Amino acid sequence: MPLSITEISAETYPAALAFLRRSPYRNAIGLGQMTQLRTSSYTLVALSNETVVGVASIRRDLPLPRLSFVVDFPGVLPPLLAGLVEAHPHLQGQPVGVLLPLARMPLLNGMVQVEESRLLYQMVAEPETLRLSEQPAAQRLSADMRADLVALHNATAGWQSWHPDGGPAFGVVATTGQLQAIAATCFATHDVIEIGWAMQPAAVPALQGCIGALTQLCFRVASRVYLFVEAGDDEIVTGCRLLGFWPAERFMWSVARLNLT
């Protein structure tokens, strides 16, 4: 199968977007990195007979560069990864973050050395499933509360990709003035939106209020919203279920080193 690997361009963008849109939840990270996050990402497209058969991108504005890919055939991935390393040689041997559907992880066998892994649930909500409950009221956070967001952001797990300046965020503030929980925008496209979250210990009701408020706002832009939760975090999984989120797919978060030699 003759392949050509090329950087995303105005000519290949529409076909690559359609390729990823075939599965907007499963391919959401790639969609985000190719659209709203394009200025902080580098994207390659694999073409066979002028048909898109693969897309791979690296996001460069996170503490760990984040790898995302979608391919129609296993043989498409090696040249895509080689193209990313050719454009960014420092990626070879450097830790990268990989957040992929669990079923896609075996495609990396022999090309990465995994140092850490965590199983996540992609929890999904759509307008007809969202159920708001009587939780502490969340408020949209303003710029003057950024310092509080930074403190919570620094305490979140490495697989969280939201940033205090990344988009709308909602929080619940205790009577002491301390921010108990937040839900923040990771990226927003017209296809799907990812939200991130953080909370103080034992603040699940506050977190539910934040997630519900932000999800309502997100539905003005897209009808698909999701967040990630660690598979073993039953309290958060249950809290999301009560809001009408359901686990759509298992993802694997890994810290890995590319080894293409």
Side-chain angles (χ1 to χ4, degrees):
M1 180 178 64
L3 280 176
S4 63
I5 307 297
T6 179
E7 185 176 353
I8 192 79
S9 65
E11 291 72 27
T12 58
Y13 180 88
L17 191 61
F19 176 81
L20 295 178
R21 279 175 167 165
R22 296 183 308 184
S23 186
Y25 281 127
R26 183 172 293 181
N27 301 335
I29 293 173
L31 280 167
Q33 291 181 184
M34 200 177 77
T35 54
Q36 187 192 15
L37 303 171
R38 63 187 178 276
T39 58
S40 56
S41 303
Y42 179 80
T43 300
L44 293 177
V45 179
L47 299 168
S48 176
N49 297 323
E50 300 183 353
T51 299
V52 175
V53 294
V55 175
S57 64
I58 196 81
R59 182 175 170 185
R60 301 170 292 196
D61 65 335
L62 298 174
L64 286 179
R66 177 162 294 185
L67 171 67
S68 173
F69 67 83
V70 182
V71 295
D72 273 348
F73 312 101
V76 177
L77 184 57
L80 276 173
L81 295 184
L84 290 177
V85 170
E86 182 179 357
H88 298 82
H90 63 282
L91 293 176
Q92 178 78 313
Q94 172 186 336
V96 297
V98 183
L99 183 53
L100 295 170
L102 184 61
R104 207 172 283 170
M105 287 297 295
L107 295 173
L108 288 169
N109 288 348
M111 290 182 286
V112 301
Q113 177 183 347
V114 176
E115 298 182 348
E116 174 190 343
S117 291
R118 295 188 185 186
L119 183 64
L120 309 179
Y121 289 139
Q122 185 185 42
M123 305 289 293
V124 168
E126 295 177 1
E128 61 272 19
T129 71
L130 184 65
R131 299 189 300 268
L132 300 180
S133 55
E134 294 297 325
Q135 304 298 346
Q139 64 186 69
R140 187 162 179 173
L141 300 180
S142 58
D144 61 1
M145 298 192 70
R146 185 181 180 281
D148 294 321
L149 266 70
V150 170
L152 271 181
H153 177 263
N154 291 340
T156 59
W159 46 265
Q160 292 266 25
S161 63
W162 63 271
H163 188 274
D165 297 327
F170 282 80
V172 170
V173 181
T175 55
T176 60
Q178 183 184 42
L179 196 59
Q180 290 186 298
I182 60 164
T185 307
C186 296
F187 65 80
T189 75
H190 290 296
D191 296 287
V192 63
I193 296 173
E194 179 184 336
I195 63 178
W197 55 272
M199 70 174 193
Q200 301 289 352
V204 174
L207 179 63
Q208 288 177 295
C210 298
I211 291 173
L214 180 55
T215 301
Q216 279 190 301
L217 181 65
C218 287
F219 284 151
R220 300 180 187 178
V221 178
S223 60
R224 303 181 187 95
V225 175
Y226 75 89
L227 53 83
F228 287 113
V229 180
E230 291 192 28
D233 197 340
D234 294 339
E235 189 177 25
I236 304 298
V237 171
T238 298
C240 289
R241 281 185 177 275
L242 291 173
L243 287 170
F245 285 73
W246 75 93
E249 185 150 10
R250 293 184 300 168
F251 272 64
M252 182 67 75
W253 159 253
S254 296
V255 177
R257 295 179 188 267
L258 289 174
N259 183 15
L260 304 182
T261 57

